[in-house]
Amino acid sequence: MTSLRSVTVGLAVVLSLAAFSAASFAQRTAPRVDASAAIPSPKSVLGFTPGDDRTIADWSQITNYFTRLDRASDLVTVQTLGQSTLKRPLIVAFISARENILALEKYKDIQQQLADPRRATQRVQRDRLVANGKVVVAISCSIHSTEIVASQMSMQLAYELATTQDAETREILQNTILLLIPSPNPDGIDIVANWYRKTLGTPFEGREPPELYHHYAGHDDNRDWFMLNLKETQVITRFFWHEWFPQIVYDVHQQGSNGSRFFIPPFYDPANPNISPVLLRQVGLIGHKVAADLQAAGYRGVLTNALYDTWWHGGFRTAPYFHNSIGILSEAASARLMTPTTVNREQLARSTTRGMRNATESSTNFPDPWPAGMWRPRDIMNMEMIAARGVLSMAAKFRGDYLRNFYELGKKAVELPLELNEPLAYLLPAGQGRDETFAKMIETLVGQGIEVHRLDQELHLTHGPQILQRTNAPTEKLGTYRTVIDKPMTMEVPLGSYIVFLNQPQRSNILALFAPQIYPNRLTAQGEAERPYDVAGWTLPLQMGLEAPAVTAIKEKPSERKLTLVKNGNQVRADLALAPRRGDESPIKNPVRQPVRVGIYRPWMSNMDEGWTRFVFDTFNVPYSSVRDADVRQGGLQSKFDVLILTSQASAQIIGGNAAGTAPAEFTGGITDAGVNNLKEFVNQGGTLVCFDNACDLAIKQFNLPVKNVLDGVRSSEFYCPGSILALDVDNKHPFAASVPATLPAYFINSPAYALTSTDASVRVVARYAKENVLRSGWLLGEDKLKGQIALADAGLGKGRVVLFGFRPQHRGQAWGTLPLLWNVLSSASTNTSE
Ligand SMILES: [Zn+2]
């Protein structure tokens, strides 16, 4: 690896010089067009100014505007990066000074060298790159489609940057290259635009559409930035972390209507310990600049240091921290889509969050509360425009600092000396027997630019599993933990295994993905758990059920090792003799042993767990139909299905649905009591009803199953587990657990746990939470409440059965380790339910 690298360093210098002279040539000879008069404004193209009340541009209007701007302005060039899930074009507009736009290839090459200091090891090389480079800033709008204003704002921002002649704009254009993404979720822009237009002028104007605004993930489209399940995430991750390496990524969001008007970092605690303190400070510096600009412009209600934290991985603005870049988030208060709303003082006074007592009280991090009143899309857009300019202005003014810091973080990651008992690599040993999962794991790592090597000969490695070890008595409610490498042993590791070294620029990403998370015990003054912003733990090999021991020593010297750098997922698939990936088709073979007719309940109250379930079924080519409220109400389910799945959703929501008057009538009402009876009849006639997490409650209570949720009504001071990986003990004699390891990590997210309420034999326990060392990654408060309780049960009823998954077997399309349980349930289902 090292010798190959040193060859490419020399070559890259030559190439970058060549690119530089080509660019200078282009600069001298390109015709000078003064086109400012001909540059179309958004209004001249759309017929309204973006942000006007009750106007909305859909995706074809947005892409059309950017195409026209590209044609008219030599400061803007638009590229299509790929396609969305529903095949809309994903676009980016490059905006910079004319001479920079003409030399984009040169600047991309500089970025790639800065991102990997092994390509430019000498200080003089670094200084030349810093002197010649531009800060690359990405701004991404409306990944959450109902947070719609930024997508509209993107057109106005591009237009103003392309036409404004003042000194600040010139400085921005000269020193930065802006990658403006009008939306990383184009499908959702159209879902919202179509719905908004349809409901405009009706009682439902400004309400959210009754479907997920991403085909599979809905709001979780911003939880996928390390797993790369979605097309959009794959395309933009490649663009960012294989090609352009933006030093600053600004992700523009909206929050609820009744709190602060605008949140901007610094963030709240806890910070993820793998994020460099330099980055946390730089995030804070940019945030304070934006906050000060907003206050200076007279905007009130600006909040910093509250609610949002940097703990979790997998967001648009959190992934950059693990690529040595700065991630900025803003959250403007929402209107009702593009319709103004009114917020009164009582609503503001009731709005409270960690870091803000309420939205009427001033404090150092919230010095000027907004006084209540009318709130318009225009207010949101103006604040977002000021924030975007603030971010760009910082990038322009401190150009050299951002480039140097970015390089130095990568260099430190490559050179960091080992501390005692710290891993130098993680190993993915061959022969684990789950080749599709193994391939997906490596594909996920390589997809985000992590270097993975295949062993082409055996190596003698000292390695052991990295686990959580409790550092206080198990009887104490608050567990404190440290990570240890458990009983490391030296042994020969077979060729065909894969290894991920930590001495690479993405060191912190590797640690954040492979090591167990230890979320700090954070309690309120009343002793209740303080809710994290998102999940507490996500360790990838645990979620995927793969062994990935930490390596502490390698006997063979670097010169004696035979390793191949993995280029892409198909290279791994070829090694494992799996079908190659081609285009959009999933190459994975249906893992279910018999043809089984599966229905997945799809509510009009959009449900991300349902979307992820469809995603997993589509990925594994398992056929299913979506079942709507009307289908369940109608009954006769046993003639159409062998298995019905209720994904995680509260029983009252499944039965009641959207309340009358909150949406057009066809989207209101749930399955109703009649539907509950039809589900019971389906099971009695031999059907299999599968429930995930919260939905188990419906079957347990409505069908009087002899189990109860032992966590029902328990206060968070006694038990709390907000998105963590826990150990299960599995009964392999049950067919659901056939060929599944006896101890299996499972995803628990404020989930239930069960105990039997009678000794009748109708319920068979398939998996229980472990009796000791339950927590594998994340945060678990009150472990004793959970030890040994039921996690997965098979409850017989009439001629059929109800399968209770207390956890999330398909969590966010990430928990591949527990998917075999689900496929086994389908394989075990009776296929003769039809009368
Ligand atoms: Zn959002």
Side-chain angles (χ1 to χ4, degrees):
M1 177 193 80
T2 24
S3 61
L4 185 77
R5 282 288 172 188
S6 55
V7 174
T8 52
V9 168
L11 192 63
V13 172
V14 175
L15 285 176
S16 88
L17 286 173
F20 185 77
S21 36
S24 324
F25 178 73
Q27 199 177 319
R28 282 195 303 274
T29 56
R32 177 128 199 112
V33 183
D34 183 26
S36 59
I39 294 175
S41 69
K43 186 174 184 181
S44 72
V45 175
L46 300 168
F48 56 85
T49 301
D52 282 353
D53 288 352
R54 298 186 172 82
T55 64
I56 197 162
D58 62 24
W59 192 243
S60 66
Q61 288 172 296
I62 292 171
T63 52
N64 174 49
Y65 178 72
F66 276 98
T67 306
R68 307 244 327 236
L69 190 61
D70 176 346
R71 261 186 244 140
S73 169
D74 47 10
L75 309 186
V76 181
T77 185
V78 177
Q79 273 183 22
T80 300
L81 300 176
Q83 282 193 329
S84 68
T85 300
L86 302 180
K87 308 218 183 301
R88 286 180 181 81
L90 277 159
I91 64 162
V92 60
F94 290 77
I95 304 177
S96 191
R98 183 172 162 278
E99 61 273 20
N100 300 342
I101 292 289
L102 288 170
L104 285 179
E105 284 305 310
K106 176 187 97 172
Y107 291 114
K108 184 159 81 174
D109 186 63
I110 291 176
Q111 288 294 103
Q112 292 178 2
Q113 292 187 61
L114 286 167
D116 187 351
R118 293 166 299 184
R119 293 183 57 188
T121 52
Q122 306 301 317
R123 175 169 289 242
V124 56
Q125 290 173 297
R126 179 200 74 178
D127 290 346
R128 193 183 311 134
L129 293 170
V130 169
N132 291 334
K134 306 292 174 190
V135 181
V136 176
V137 180
I139 298 183
S140 176
C141 304
S142 303
I143 186 173
H144 292 149
S145 316
T146 50
E147 302 162 19
I148 188 72
V149 175
S151 65
Q152 315 292 300
M153 182 275 294
S154 67
M155 295 177 277
Q156 197 69 26
L157 177 65
Y159 173 68
E160 292 193 6
L161 288 171
T163 55
T164 309
Q165 305 286 342
D166 62 18
E168 187 199 65
T169 308
R170 273 206 305 278
E171 186 184 34
I172 287 171
L173 294 170
Q174 274 159 15
N175 291 326
T176 73
I177 296 171
L178 170 60
L179 318 177
L180 179 59
I181 298 175
S183 175
N185 180 18
D187 301 338
I189 298 294
D190 279 351
I191 288 169
V192 169
N194 294 339
W195 170 256
Y196 185 68
R197 287 169 182 164
K198 193 172 125 187
T199 51
L200 202 60
T202 76
F204 313 112
E205 175 180 329
R207 285 188 182 272
E208 304 205 345
E211 64 180 302
L212 293 171
Y213 52 64
H214 180 281
H215 181 65
Y216 290 122
H219 198 80
D220 273 357
D221 63 350
N222 199 26
R223 302 292 181 269
D224 190 48
W225 294 93
F226 66 76
M227 192 65 190
L228 314 186
N229 273 327
L230 307 175
K231 288 270 172 308
E232 296 79 3
T233 328
Q234 291 163 11
V235 165
I236 292 169
T237 297
R238 164 153 284 285
F239 176 64
F240 278 6
W241 310 120
H242 288 259
E243 295 180 27
W244 275 96
F245 301 92
Q247 277 85 21
I248 302 173
V249 174
Y250 170 27
D251 193 24
V252 190
H253 286 251
Q254 291 170 218
Q255 55 186 356
S257 300
N258 298 345
S260 70
R261 295 302 91 192
F262 203 81
F263 168 83
I264 191 84
F267 290 101
Y268 200 71
D269 287 326
N272 186 302
N274 290 307
I275 302 174
S276 155
V278 178
L279 286 177
L280 290 175
R281 291 299 187 189
Q282 288 177 334
V283 167
L285 195 57
I286 292 177
H288 273 309
K289 155 76 173 164
V290 168
D293 285 355
L294 287 164
Q295 310 275 193
Y299 286 91
R300 309 184 67 180
V302 178
L303 175 69
T304 57
N305 297 88
L307 182 55
Y308 307 96
D309 63 51
T310 57
W311 180 264
W312 63 291
H313 194 347
F316 201 105
R317 59 94 186 166
T318 57
Y321 308 138
F322 303 98
H323 294 81
N324 304 324
S325 290
I326 297 165
I328 302 291
L329 166 78
S330 75
E331 296 270 359
S334 290
R336 296 186 301 125
L337 300 179
M338 294 303 290
T339 298
T341 191
T342 305
V343 182
N344 64 41
R345 215 182 137 72
E346 289 65 42
Q347 288 168 313
L348 294 172
R350 278 199 302 273
S351 176
T352 177
T353 182
R354 46 181 200 170
M356 184 186 76
R357 273 163 58 95
N358 70 62
T360 64
E361 273 184 48
S362 70
S363 55
T364 306
N365 63 330
F366 188 56
D368 187 22
W370 179 67
M374 177 82 94
W375 187 247
R376 311 190 102 95
R378 172 73 59 225
D379 298 316
I380 300 168
M381 181 162 141
N382 289 348
M383 294 182 92
E384 290 175 345
M385 292 279 283
I386 290 169
R389 277 196 166 263
V391 171
L392 288 165
S393 161
M394 283 292 279
K397 284 189 202 310
F398 299 100
R399 188 194 60 82
D401 299 77
Y402 287 116
L403 298 184
R404 201 175 309 106
N405 281 333
F406 175 66
Y407 172 94
E408 290 297 335
L409 285 173
K411 193 168 165 68
K412 198 172 154 198
V414 170
E415 292 174 353
L416 209 63
L418 268 190
E419 284 176 31
L420 196 66
N421 205 28
E422 221 185 29
L424 61 92
Y426 288 93
L427 178 72
L428 289 158
Q432 301 197 30
R434 299 182 54 225
D435 290 348
E436 282 294 353
T437 308
F438 198 76
K440 168 75 175 174
M441 173 80 190
I442 296 170
E443 201 172 39
T444 299
L445 299 173
V446 173
Q448 57 202 294
I450 292 174
E451 289 165 13
V452 180
H453 287 87
R454 187 186 64 214
L455 272 59
D456 291 338
Q457 68 178 34
E458 297 78 6
L459 286 181
H460 293 83
L461 304 180
T462 307
H463 64 82
Q466 194 174 23
I467 60 164
L468 291 183
Q469 191 178 65
R470 230 184 132 117
T471 56
N472 62 343
T475 48
E476 288 174 53
K477 194 172 65 193
L478 289 180
T480 54
Y481 300 85
R482 62 176 175 174
T483 55
V484 294
I485 299 170
D486 195 32
K487 303 184 190 76
M489 289 185 294
T490 304
M491 59 176 73
E492 188 179 81
V493 172
L495 70 147
S497 300
Y498 291 79
I499 191 164
V500 184
F501 290 102
L502 276 164
N503 60 341
Q504 53 175 302
Q506 288 199 45
R507 176 192 167 85
S508 62
N509 199 14
I510 298 161
L511 288 169
L513 293 175
F514 280 83
Q517 278 79 45
I518 306 173
Y519 193 87
N521 292 316
R522 296 184 60 86
L523 305 178
T524 65
Q526 293 74 38
E528 301 290 322
E530 185 197 84
R531 198 175 81 85
Y533 183 67
D534 193 66
V535 297
W538 54 83
T539 312
L540 197 49
L542 291 178
Q543 287 206 70
M544 299 193 75
L546 292 174
E547 282 176 42
V551 177
T552 53
I554 305 177
K555 193 179 138 205
E556 289 80 2
K557 294 191 195 75
S559 60
E560 298 165 353
R561 301 172 193 167
K562 245 183 103 187
L563 300 168
T564 304
L565 183 65
V566 179
K567 287 195 284 292
N568 57 50
N570 270 344
Q571 194 186 339
V572 179
R573 298 189 70 85
D575 287 350
L576 297 168
L578 297 169
R581 242 170 228 290
R582 284 197 193 87
D584 282 354
E585 298 293 307
S586 165
I588 300 177
K589 205 170 120 251
N590 177 345
V592 179
R593 276 194 300 276
Q594 54 176 317
V596 56
R597 298 166 304 163
V598 179
I600 300 175
Y601 170 64
R602 187 171 183 175
W604 294 115
M605 296 186 97
S606 56
N607 178 359
M608 291 179 274
D609 201 52
E610 181 270 336
W612 283 121
T613 306
R614 275 186 286 112
F615 174 80
V616 164
F617 274 66
D618 286 347
T619 300
F620 282 81
N621 290 308
V622 180
Y624 65 91
S625 314
S626 286
V627 180
R628 289 296 192 176
D629 289 318
D631 304 318
V632 184
R633 289 196 297 257
Q634 192 186 29
L637 297 163
Q638 55 274 24
S639 66
K640 297 174 205 143
F641 300 105
D642 306 306
V643 177
L644 286 172
I645 299 178
L646 299 179
T647 61
S648 185
Q649 192 180 10
S651 178
Q653 290 186 358
I654 298 173
I655 298 170
N658 290 313
T662 62
E666 65 263 39
F667 305 119
T668 61
I671 66 170
T672 71
D673 291 340
V676 173
N677 287 333
N678 292 335
L679 288 176
K680 192 169 181 185
E681 179 65 10
F682 166 76
V683 177
N684 274 323
Q685 296 300 320
T688 298
L689 179 67
V690 180
C691 306
F692 294 163
D693 199 338
N694 282 321
C696 294
D697 190 52
L698 183 142
I700 291 168
K701 298 222 171 98
Q702 299 289 332
F703 305 168
N704 291 315
L705 302 180
V707 296
K708 66 165 185 197
N709 176 11
V710 297
L711 302 175
D712 214 4
V714 176
R715 297 187 65 89
S716 73
S717 52
E718 297 301 310
F719 177 86
Y720 193 62
C721 186
S724 297
I725 303 169
L726 307 182
L728 301 183
D729 290 337
V730 176
D731 174 10
N732 292 120
K733 291 190 291 295
H734 194 286
F736 295 174
S739 58
V740 164
T743 306
L744 189 66
Y747 210 87
F748 187 102
I749 180 161
N750 296 309
S751 301
Y754 299 112
L756 299 177
T757 55
S758 87
T759 50
D760 81 53
S762 67
V763 179
R764 289 181 67 190
V765 176
V766 186
R768 292 179 183 274
Y769 291 99
K771 291 190 189 68
E772 298 299 332
N773 302 325
V774 184
L775 182 64
R776 303 295 303 275
S777 181
W779 190 20
L780 173 58
L781 193 156
E783 186 180 31
D784 276 346
K785 288 262 185 300
L786 199 62
K787 283 178 179 172
Q789 302 292 3
I790 298 169
L792 173 57
D794 172 14
L797 184 70
K799 290 189 238 164
R801 62 181 15 149
V802 179
V803 182
L804 304 170
F805 279 92
F807 52 94
R808 303 271 178 106
Q810 80 316 11
H811 172 248
R812 291 179 177 169
Q814 297 172 8
W816 284 43
T818 43
L819 287 177
L821 297 167
L822 181 57
W823 307 141
N824 285 342
V825 169
L826 302 191
S827 296
S828 311
S830 164
T831 51
N832 54 8
T833 42
S834 49
E835 61 269 52

